[in-house]
Each structure stands twice: as structure tokens, then as C-alpha cells.
Amino acid sequence: MPLIDERFPASTWHLSDAGRYKCEDLRESLFQFFPANVYSSSEPKAIETAELSTSSYSTDQITTDWRLNEHYRETYQFQSQIQFETHIKEFFDYPDRKIFGEETADEAYIRFNTAIQEILSNGTPAQHSLIFSHGTVISLWVSRFLDISPFPLWRRLTLPSYIVIKHNNPSEFELVAIV
């Protein structure tokens, strides 16, 4: 749950007090996945979520990667929730078009998938990888690997939420849970 400041792009927002508080519950839920390699988008709200959600566990560090950032929409003017959801649906429905923002869904997917594949190939079988990112790119990525519709998945995600995916190899995934 970010602290929304309509004057600035969402990529610069930090967590609200409620968002920081909810990280306590998230930290308890994530306990089952430690030890883990921890990765985060370079956006402040994702870094803060990663730090607060892993603070009780021994992690060497949180690796930030700009490729895990949300769909780039720096020039997007703040709008009502209904207008925003309409744009998100169009973003998913027309992945090769710039619906809003600076990249298409296809471009965001390629960027995000490149980071995910690199993380998976560098991981050790004995450890989980926790990746703190954002709803739109996560929904986009998960939907393509699991052949499900991205918009209903995006709408299902709450703040914060997590998706557990089991992978047998870098191109074979199984959805375990959406929490």
C-alpha cells in the first residue's frame, strides 16, 4: 500500500504507514520460504517491502534490479480507479501497443522475463528466490507462463500479496498459490 502522491509517478512512491504495517503479516507468511535469495525492483515501495518483510530472517542482502520494476508509465497522469483499470485491461488486451506509459506489455514482459530467467538460472536448488515486484508485470509474466488471463489475475492481487510458483526448469512452471 503506497503513500500516493498524485504529483509524482508511482515509481517514486514509498510505502504508507498501512503498507509498512501489512509487511509484518507478509513477513510471517514468507517465513516458510527461508533461507532465500531476495530480489527487489529498484522502486522505493518494493525495496521497503522487501526490507520490512525479510528483516527477521538472515539474508545476505537484497539485490535490486531495475528490470523487476513496474510497467514504465512515468508520464501517466493520475486518474480515477475506473480509468486506471480500463487502461490496465487495454494494456493486457493489446500487448503490442503503447496503451499508456513508455512501454508496451510485450516490452515490459521481455524486460521482466529476462530478469526472472537470470534469477532462476543463478539460484541454488536448496534455496527459494523471493522477488519483490509489482502487480502489472507480475500478472503479465505469470499469465504468459501459465497460459491464464492477466487482467483477472491482476484484479485478484491485493496489497501486499504473493504468488508461489514452483519451477522444475526455467521454462516449466506450476502455480502453487496466490495469497
Side-chain angles (χ1 to χ4, degrees), residues 75-144:
T75 58
Y76 183 72
Q77 298 296 313
F78 192 84
Q79 297 181 355
S80 72
Q81 186 66 23
I82 292 171
Q83 291 170 315
F84 180 68
E85 287 189 18
T86 299
H87 287 135
I88 292 291
K89 183 164 184 347
E90 291 173 356
F91 173 79
F92 290 133
D93 288 346
Y94 305 101
D96 60 338
R97 296 185 197 164
K98 284 188 183 173
I99 302 299
F100 68 109
E102 292 75 47
E103 66 184 346
T104 67
D106 287 340
E107 291 166 339
Y109 169 80
I110 290 168
R111 169 178 53 81
F112 191 81
N113 183 55
T114 300
I116 297 295
Q117 295 301 326
E118 191 174 297
I119 288 167
L120 295 177
S121 67
N122 291 336
T124 61
Q127 286 193 316
H128 295 94
S129 292
L130 297 179
I131 302 170
F132 292 83
S133 190
H134 310 274
T136 307
V137 290
I138 291 170
S139 298
L140 184 64
W141 186 81
V142 168
S143 69
R144 291 189 181 193

Side-chain angles (χ1 to χ4, degrees), residues 12-170:
T12 66
W13 296 348
H14 291 265
L15 289 180
S16 65
D17 289 341
R20 286 189 288 280
Y21 177 76
K22 286 193 171 255
C23 286
E24 293 176 24
D25 293 333
L26 183 59
R27 182 175 52 241
E28 290 177 23
S29 297
L30 296 178
F31 174 76
Q32 63 187 307
F33 301 110
F34 281 88
N37 297 308
V38 182
Y39 301 87
S40 175
S41 134
S42 63
E43 294 184 27
K45 58 190 170 284
I47 294 170
E48 291 170 9
T49 302
E51 289 172 346
L52 292 169
S53 299
T54 63
S55 63
S56 299
Y57 312 118
S58 60
T59 58
D60 292 334
Q61 66 179 14
I62 297 170
T63 303
T64 59
D65 188 331
W66 64 271
R67 297 172 301 174
L68 298 172
N69 288 7
E70 182 60 287
H71 158 245
Y72 288 117
R73 44 186 182 239
E74 300 299 301
T75 58
Y76 183 72
Q77 298 296 313
F78 192 84
Q79 297 181 355
S80 72
Q81 186 66 23
I82 292 171
Q83 291 170 315
F84 180 68
E85 287 189 18
T86 299
H87 287 135
I88 292 291
K89 183 164 184 347
E90 291 173 356
F91 173 79
F92 290 133
D93 288 346
Y94 305 101
D96 60 338
R97 296 185 197 164
K98 284 188 183 173
I99 302 299
F100 68 109
E102 292 75 47
E103 66 184 346
T104 67
D106 287 340
E107 291 166 339
Y109 169 80
I110 290 168
R111 169 178 53 81
F112 191 81
N113 183 55
T114 300
I116 297 295
Q117 295 301 326
E118 191 174 297
I119 288 167
L120 295 177
S121 67
N122 291 336
T124 61
Q127 286 193 316
H128 295 94
S129 292
L130 297 179
I131 302 170
F132 292 83
S133 190
H134 310 274
T136 307
V137 290
I138 291 170
S139 298
L140 184 64
W141 186 81
V142 168
S143 69
R144 291 189 181 193
F145 269 97
L146 300 178
D147 196 27
I148 60 176
S149 182
F151 187 68
L153 173 60
W154 178 84
R155 291 195 75 195
R156 185 174 171 189
L157 299 178
T158 59
L159 298 175
S161 60
Y162 64 92
I163 297 174
V164 179
I165 296 176
K166 178 181 176 185
H167 69 93
N168 301 316
N169 63 57

